[in-house]
Amino acid sequence: MTKQEIAKIIDHTLLKPAKESQIVSLCKEAKQYGFASVCVNPCHVKLAAKELAGSDVKVCTVIGFPLGENTTQTKVFETKNAIKNGATEIDMVINQSWAKVNAWKKVEKEIAAVKKACGDILLKVILETCNLNDKQLIAACKSCITAGAQYVKTSTGFGSGGATTAAVSLMSDMVHPYELKVKASGGIHNYDEAVAMVENGADRIGASCGVEICKR
């Protein structure tokens, strides 16, 4: 893949505390490089939507971030509020406590509730793969398929590990037959790492190093 092709599937991400000027710069870079979206915390959605108005760059935000430990009702409210403020893609974190004890019906029900709140807005579900064994990862993917999500996503970037090619490969094998896609995020720092994720089945890349990945 060319760097231009990679750019088109990057969610240009800033999820650490940020000044408004940093969000403005993030949006300018996204337009300059032709990134798929910017991914920002919910408090910055309005500003990002304003900065990206009239462009093809989507506004992505995170729900239940980073642990997924909010109540379902809170996640539903967060989702509706984010969309009202201009979000056009939603990345939600599954409840890590439920995943830990294999309470997949609860996980599935919560994803379905957030998907209902999304309506036609794209929903990506963050699994935090560093906390899951292969059996749990498969079960988490199944929950996303049944609940109607459009993407499964590897990581928050705030866990003990980020995306791995092994996890991306397993996730893509699980969900691609059901027409869901895979977002690899967390610890992707350069072009070669991004390409490796795509070669193993990633359809979208989440990265705070988007400019470094695509710089000529």
Side-chain angles (χ1 to χ4, degrees), residues 19 42 80 91 154 167:
K19 300 176 183 177
K80 291 179 178 178
D91 287 17
T154 59

Side-chain angles (χ1 to χ4, degrees), residues 122-196:
L122 192 72
L123 174 62
K124 310 187 203 94
V125 180
I126 307 172
L127 307 182
E128 200 69 293
T129 53
C130 62
N131 293 337
L132 305 176
N133 59 39
D134 285 356
K135 186 176 180 180
Q136 290 172 320
L137 183 52
I138 290 169
C141 287
K142 287 180 179 177
S143 294
C144 294
I145 293 165
T146 305
Q150 287 103 335
Y151 269 82
V152 289
K153 176 178 171 181
T154 59
S155 317
T156 61
F158 287 75
S160 60
T164 65
T165 54
V168 168
S169 179
L170 179 56
M171 291 161 69
S172 64
D173 286 346
M174 277 298 303
V175 306
H176 279 166
Y178 297 90
E179 299 184 354
L180 277 74
K181 296 183 178 181
V182 177
K183 176 176 173 179
S185 64
I188 302 169
H189 302 108
N190 56 53
Y191 170 78
D192 289 338
E193 290 174 351
V195 169

Side-chain angles (χ1 to χ4, degrees), residues 83-145:
I83 293 169
K84 181 180 178 181
N85 288 336
T88 53
E89 295 188 353
I90 298 294
D91 287 17
M92 71 159 282
V93 188
I94 64 169
N95 186 302
Q96 297 294 297
S97 291
W98 293 347
K100 193 180 181 78
V101 297
N102 301 309
W104 300 113
K105 285 296 182 184
K106 286 185 176 181
V107 171
E108 179 187 320
K109 186 176 179 181
E110 180 170 87
I111 296 168
V114 173
K115 177 54 192 166
K116 184 178 179 181
C118 284
D120 295 331
I121 297 293
L122 192 72
L123 174 62
K124 310 187 203 94
V125 180
I126 307 172
L127 307 182
E128 200 69 293
T129 53
C130 62
N131 293 337
L132 305 176
N133 59 39
D134 285 356
K135 186 176 180 180
Q136 290 172 320
L137 183 52
I138 290 169
C141 287
K142 287 180 179 177
S143 294
C144 294
I145 293 165

